[in-house]
Amino acid sequence: MRNTPVPTSERPSSMRRVVAASVFGTALETYDLYLYGTAAALVFGPLFFPDSDPTAATLLSLSTFAVSFLARPLGALVFGHFGDRIGRKKMLYVTYLIMGVSTFLIGLLPTFNSIGVLAPVLLVGLRFAQGFGFGGEYSGAVLMLTEHAPAAKRGFYAGLNNIGPVIGFVSSSGLFLLMNSILTEADFLAWGWRIPFLVSILLVVIGLYVRTRVSESPVFEQAQTKAADAKPRVPIAEVLRNNPKQLLLATGANISQFAVFYLFSVYTLSYGVTELGLTRTTILWAVIIAILINLIAIPYASALSDRIGRRKVLTTGFVITIVWAFPFFALFNTGNFILTLVAFMVMMVGYSFVYGPIAAFMSEIFPTAVRFTGSAVAYNLAGILGAAFAPIIATMLMDTYHSSVSISLYIIAITLVSAICVLVGRETRDIDLTADNH
């Protein structure tokens, strides 16, 4: 049955405010995350693990990167619980503050040379806090868009949230690139790397103001009018009891996009420098230009999913990723900037066809009463399986086999897992968000 419109409001001006709040919030959160990923690949090794050899230092640094993903399911449980019980909007204020303050404090951290082993311990603690906050941030922002949007454009509006990470990545990488280009190597390692972390506090203030102008989700408010005993007291228990299949399929469907993006945006930085002898500036420029494609491809793929269905668009993205896994490294390994850019751009098209419609798919697969919890837990479990260890696994594969072929096979294998999960599940485009059960 075609989904019935929820009696929402959403006049164009109201919807624009929801889009602005969600996209800006997700942009800041991903600015924080990707900034850390860039720093972990390029500078945290010598600053926080100086006694290690270069490969070990990179692995240790990337391990701190993975800590965020281990913290995310905990954040998903906490913020999902309260998001389903007392509201989406309230939780988004809390997650926003946690992320922003943690990132700012990383910029103030003393290094190993100043305080010894306490430096990496504090770094790991703040990275954990980042992950804990993000565990509720992304899913809450997507839900606000999904539950405010007109039924026929749900995929498009939910997908718009996913241009936030593009903005966040380009901003963080661009600022990192700027500091790296205008400072000497010594100054950059001494203090220049801190600037991008410190300026995030200004974005927090703006983001909090933007979010005050958005109303609570109308779908959530409608659900609140039901009898109190219809609301789950412990949403995660309800998910595990009544929606285990949805949780499993939603988690699996997300693994590929996580792995592909973090291999692309984090691992390629260290691979390009250590294996190909390219400069950080060259690789960052290629990554930034390629990621800008998502600003067009994500909205297009999301809107297309409203017309032909989520599964068809997602499957197209998986096919592109699998087909391009070997050409990607073949072109990258030439060391030629233009060929590298082609490799990166095509990979980002495949990624966009997954990352755009996956936003609506994740929200639609769970009923309203547990939608925040279910989607947040699934998304963040996928982050552990797909992204947390992807740069580490790629580094270890390269160190063991001395060939990018092993990494291409890894990309293909993990993408097949996501494709199977989407194909096993049913189409979600026509689901009624207000129904008690899906």
Side-chain angles (χ1 to χ4, degrees):
M1 179 184 299
R2 183 68 182 174
N3 51 336
T4 56
V6 178
T8 80
S9 56
E10 302 313 323
R11 299 185 303 274
S13 59
S14 300
M15 201 64 217
R16 281 196 295 269
R17 286 197 294 270
V18 178
V19 170
S22 294
V23 172
F24 189 90
T26 303
L28 173 63
E29 308 297 17
T30 50
Y31 170 92
D32 296 345
L33 293 175
Y34 298 149
L35 180 61
Y36 189 100
T38 303
L42 298 180
V43 299
F44 281 171
L47 291 176
F48 290 91
F49 307 98
D51 293 335
S52 306
D53 64 71
T55 299
T58 298
L59 284 171
L60 287 170
S61 182
L62 291 174
S63 296
T64 68
F65 172 77
V67 167
S68 165
F69 293 93
L70 299 178
R72 289 184 188 189
L74 179 59
L77 287 172
V78 172
F79 297 116
H81 176 89
F82 290 106
D84 283 326
R85 295 287 298 170
I86 66 176
R88 310 345 187 172
K89 181 178 176 179
K90 295 182 180 68
M91 291 303 100
L92 290 179
Y93 286 123
V94 181
T95 59
Y96 202 71
L97 281 171
I98 291 174
M99 286 285 297
V101 172
S102 298
T103 301
F104 176 75
L105 291 177
I106 288 174
L108 298 176
L109 276 182
T111 62
F112 186 92
N113 288 338
S114 299
I115 60 172
V117 72
L118 185 58
V121 170
L122 291 174
L123 180 67
V124 169
L126 290 173
R127 181 59 174 172
F128 185 91
Q130 276 190 327
F132 182 75
F134 192 79
E137 166 62 31
Y138 173 85
S139 297
V142 168
L143 287 193
M144 287 292 280
L145 281 167
T146 304
E147 295 182 344
H148 276 84
K153 296 183 178 180
R154 207 161 59 206
F156 171 70
Y157 279 112
L160 284 182
N161 184 77
N162 289 352
I163 67 172
V166 179
I167 298 170
F169 182 86
V170 172
S171 300
S172 63
S173 297
L175 191 51
F176 216 90
L177 186 61
L178 175 64
M179 301 307 299
N180 187 52
S181 63
I182 65 176
L183 299 175
T184 65
E185 183 76 11
D187 286 341
F188 181 73
L189 288 174
W191 56 268
W193 66 271
R194 299 179 183 275
I195 303 301
F197 287 93
L198 297 177
V199 299
S200 67
I201 201 67
L202 300 176
L203 303 177
V204 172
V205 175
I206 299 171
L208 287 174
Y209 169 74
V210 172
R211 287 193 167 174
T212 62
R213 297 171 56 80
V214 177
S215 60
E216 180 58 89
S217 155
V219 173
F220 175 80
E221 289 184 330
Q222 179 174 316
Q224 290 291 91
T225 63
K226 297 180 180 179
D229 58 5
K231 305 169 191 173
R233 294 182 61 84
V234 184
I236 186 58
E238 187 80 5
V239 170
L240 295 175
R241 181 168 55 249
N242 295 328
N243 306 102
K245 179 181 178 181
Q246 290 94 323
L247 182 64
L248 179 62
L249 294 180
T251 300
N254 271 281
I255 291 175
S256 171
Q257 59 93 358
F258 268 115
V260 168
F261 189 82
Y262 281 91
L263 286 173
F264 173 80
S265 63
V266 176
Y267 176 70
T268 56
L269 298 179
S270 60
Y271 176 85
V273 171
T274 60
E275 300 294 336
L276 304 181
L278 301 174
T279 66
R280 289 180 296 196
T281 301
T282 297
I283 304 168
L284 276 174
W285 269 119
V287 170
I288 289 171
I289 293 170
I291 283 180
L292 286 173
I293 286 180
N294 291 322
L295 293 176
I296 299 172
I298 286 176
Y300 174 78
S302 302
L304 185 63
S305 76
D306 284 323
R307 297 197 295 274
I308 67 173
R310 318 295 184 223
R311 294 172 71 199
K312 291 180 181 178
V313 181
L314 288 166
T315 302
T316 300
F318 295 140
V319 170
I320 294 172
T321 301
I322 289 171
V323 169
W324 198 246
F326 284 109
F328 174 81
F329 276 104
L331 294 173
F332 188 20
N333 288 340
T334 65
N336 179 278
F337 180 78
I338 299 300
L339 294 179
T340 296
L341 189 57
V342 171
F344 285 14
M345 291 172 73
V346 174
M347 185 62 81
M348 280 297 94
V349 171
Y351 169 78
S352 294
F353 270 67
V354 176
Y355 195 48
I358 202 77
F361 174 84
M362 288 291 291
S363 300
E364 292 163 343
I365 203 169
F366 295 101
T368 301
V370 295
R371 184 168 294 132
F372 201 142
T373 298
S375 60
V377 170
Y379 185 80
N380 291 294
L381 284 177
I384 293 178
L385 298 173
F389 302 110
I392 298 172
I393 290 172
T395 300
M396 294 175 67
L397 286 172
M398 192 66 200
D399 194 52
T400 302
Y401 298 104
H402 307 288
S403 171
S404 60
V405 169
S406 60
I407 304 173
S408 296
L409 290 173
Y410 171 57
I411 292 172
I412 291 171
I414 208 163
T415 302
L416 283 173
V417 170
S418 291
I420 290 170
C421 288
V422 168
L423 293 173
V424 168
R426 62 169 172 151
E427 177 57 57
T428 62
R429 176 186 58 164
D430 296 334
I431 283 174
D432 179 2
L433 289 185
T434 63
D436 291 331
N437 297 289
H438 289 355

